[in-house]
Amino acid sequence: MMREEILHYLGTSNPEEISALYTSADRVRAQHVGDAIHARALLNISNYCRRNCLYCGLRGQNRRLMRYRMGKDDILRTVDAAASAGYKTVLMQSGEDGWYSRAMIAETVRIIANHHDIDIALSLGERPDDDYRCWFDAGATRYLLKHETSDPALYRALHPGSSLDERIRILRLLKSIGYETGSGVMVGLPGQSLESIADDILLFRHLDIDMIGCGPYIYNPDAGLMRPGDHIWTQKMKMDTVLKITALNRIVTRDAMIPATTATEISSPGSGRACALGAGANVVMFDITPLPWKEHYIIYPREDFTNGIGDYPRLAEELTGLTGRPISTGYGRRNKP
Ligand code: SAH
């Protein structure tokens, strides 16, 4: 699909065209990655962050957030429980928290890899290049680092002290190390154009990104970016565009792993996740972060009363009920099933 056609779909408000787009994405999904939905256990290990991304509640300057970090034993205990519950992937995510040394993360990854039949994904932000190499050697096989927006000026405005070029350089490095590499963007940022979203989709393909997570930008009063009324994106435009970008990513990449993101469900409670799964997505994430920590990982305001470990069977059953599709018992890797 060419840029012009992508832009056309992003811009259309013709309901027949839109539903045809979702249907063809759903068909491509069935053909290239099958019906199974892959569940990931998401463990938010720390909400400390040295960055100040304007949209994010974890930004270092947000004094209203209660900070926490999980130690190695806390992490290992939680991953043990997730593996016993049947998860085949655990994703450890955090703000950019320098407290975790290269060696400490490597040791944690090594212990998990040696004790459990579970794939290890990391999303710990930008780190020295050798950290990524070391953690791959220790047994982590996936790394997520969203490029957030492919508009360089908007990127610079939202991320003090950091650049889109650097983000993309790291994505290439992660691929070259051998990671299944994840990226993604937010949809509905103030000042974000449909043209730049078309470029986002082409960039995923150009970099051969393996996992693509896109969700709506959600206003966080403690983060500092403009209020919801301050820009042109309405709630409906945001959600429509999230579903369109999900469908277009599926059509353009064919076999990428595409989550129905948490932000999508939070913006459209009860239907967001199912809609994304019907428009090309094939992955979901359940938060397994133990209380009380879970309540303090506030990237954006949200309420989640489920327990990603204890409620996993019920959540899986509900998803199957909603979509008619089975929950995978495999690893859900892009390259080697
Ligand atoms: N610190 C890590 C990952 C943690 S943040 C990193 O930099 O890669 C996880 C993701 O949450 C971000 O990549 C961003 O896409 C999303 N996010 C942050 N603030 C958001 C907001 N206000 N609305 C929607 N998504 C947001």
Side-chain angles (χ1 to χ4, degrees), residues 55 93-94 123 125 145-146 148 167 186 216-218 299-300:
Y55 45 80
Q93 182 175 249
S94 70
S123 180
L145 189 76
K146 298 189 180 184
E148 316 293 3
R167 207 77 174 171
M186 281 171 286
Y217 159 63
I218 300 171
I299 290 181
Y300 42 72

Side-chain angles (χ1 to χ4, degrees), residues 157-179:
L158 294 174
H159 304 97
S162 129
S163 79
L164 179 62
D165 283 350
E166 174 63 3
R167 207 77 174 171
I168 292 174
R169 184 191 71 79
I170 300 173
L171 287 171
R172 290 185 204 275
L173 172 70
L174 292 167
K175 288 282 298 185
S176 77
I177 292 171
Y179 281 105

Side-chain angles (χ1 to χ4, degrees), residues 46-68 94-97 148 155-162 186 217-226 296-301:
S46 160
N47 68 356
Y48 280 87
C49 191
R50 67 190 181 95
R51 298 270 184 191
N52 273 299
C53 308
L54 266 65
Y55 45 80
C56 183
L58 306 192
R59 67 201 307 267
Q61 283 169 9
N62 179 12
R63 302 264 172 265
R64 273 178 286 220
L65 191 67
M66 280 260 284
R67 303 285 170 168
Y68 75 89
S94 70
E96 284 192 20
D97 185 357
E148 316 293 3
Y155 189 97
R156 220 174 308 118
L158 294 174
H159 304 97
S162 129
M186 281 171 286
Y217 159 63
I218 300 171
Y219 170 66
N220 182 339
D222 288 345
L225 196 58
M226 308 157 116
H296 301 298
Y297 198 86
I298 310 173
I299 290 181
Y300 42 72

Side-chain angles (χ1 to χ4, degrees), residues 14-249:
N14 176 333
E16 275 121 58
E17 249 182 349
I18 295 174
S19 90
L21 176 69
Y22 299 163
T23 305
S24 76
D26 198 47
R27 201 174 311 123
V28 173
R29 190 268 308 147
Q31 199 179 336
H32 290 268
V33 295
D35 281 340
I37 297 171
H38 302 280
R40 317 299 196 196
L42 168 62
L43 178 56
N44 294 316
I45 64 173
S46 160
N47 68 356
Y48 280 87
C49 191
R50 67 190 181 95
R51 298 270 184 191
N52 273 299
C53 308
L54 266 65
Y55 45 80
C56 183
L58 306 192
R59 67 201 307 267
Q61 283 169 9
N62 179 12
R63 302 264 172 265
R64 273 178 286 220
L65 191 67
M66 280 260 284
R67 303 285 170 168
Y68 75 89
R69 56 171 69 94
M70 295 173 66
K72 193 175 80 183
D73 292 343
D74 298 323
I75 295 172
L76 292 175
R77 211 173 308 122
T78 311
V79 174
D80 284 353
S84 303
Y87 284 104
K88 289 289 181 206
T89 297
V90 63
L91 166 61
M92 287 184 261
Q93 182 175 249
S94 70
E96 284 192 20
D97 185 357
W99 183 81
Y100 295 98
S101 65
R102 177 189 305 166
M104 185 189 164
I105 296 289
E107 169 76 0
T108 308
V109 166
R110 202 172 292 115
I111 293 173
I112 297 170
N114 287 339
H115 285 82
H116 294 296
D117 182 23
I118 197 166
D119 277 5
I120 302 164
L122 300 175
S123 180
L124 310 177
E126 295 182 24
R127 302 276 305 202
D129 290 358
D130 284 341
D131 288 14
Y132 306 126
R133 295 193 182 94
C134 170
W135 299 339
F136 186 79
D137 293 340
T141 53
R142 305 184 205 157
Y143 202 98
L144 262 62
L145 189 76
K146 298 189 180 184
H147 75 260
E148 316 293 3
T149 172
S150 61
D151 174 338
L154 182 58
Y155 189 97
R156 220 174 308 118
L158 294 174
H159 304 97
S162 129
S163 79
L164 179 62
D165 283 350
E166 174 63 3
R167 207 77 174 171
I168 292 174
R169 184 191 71 79
I170 300 173
L171 287 171
R172 290 185 204 275
L173 172 70
L174 292 167
K175 288 282 298 185
S176 77
I177 292 171
Y179 281 105
E180 288 205 8
T181 301
S183 187
V185 298
M186 281 171 286
V187 170
L189 292 162
Q192 187 179 29
S193 67
L194 292 183
E195 283 78 7
S196 76
I197 293 177
D199 292 335
D200 289 321
I201 295 168
L202 294 171
L203 186 62
F204 295 135
R205 178 167 67 186
H206 178 68
L207 296 174
D208 192 25
I209 294 297
D210 303 298
M211 305 171 283
I212 311 176
C214 299
Y217 159 63
I218 300 171
Y219 170 66
N220 182 339
D222 288 345
L225 196 58
M226 308 157 116
R227 286 183 298 274
D230 292 348
H231 60 89
I232 51 148
W233 287 88
T234 62
Q235 182 64 13
K236 175 161 170 29
M237 264 174 73
K238 255 196 255 187
M239 288 309 293
D240 288 352
T241 310
V242 167
L243 294 179
K244 285 177 180 176
I245 192 174
T246 302
L248 290 162
N249 284 333

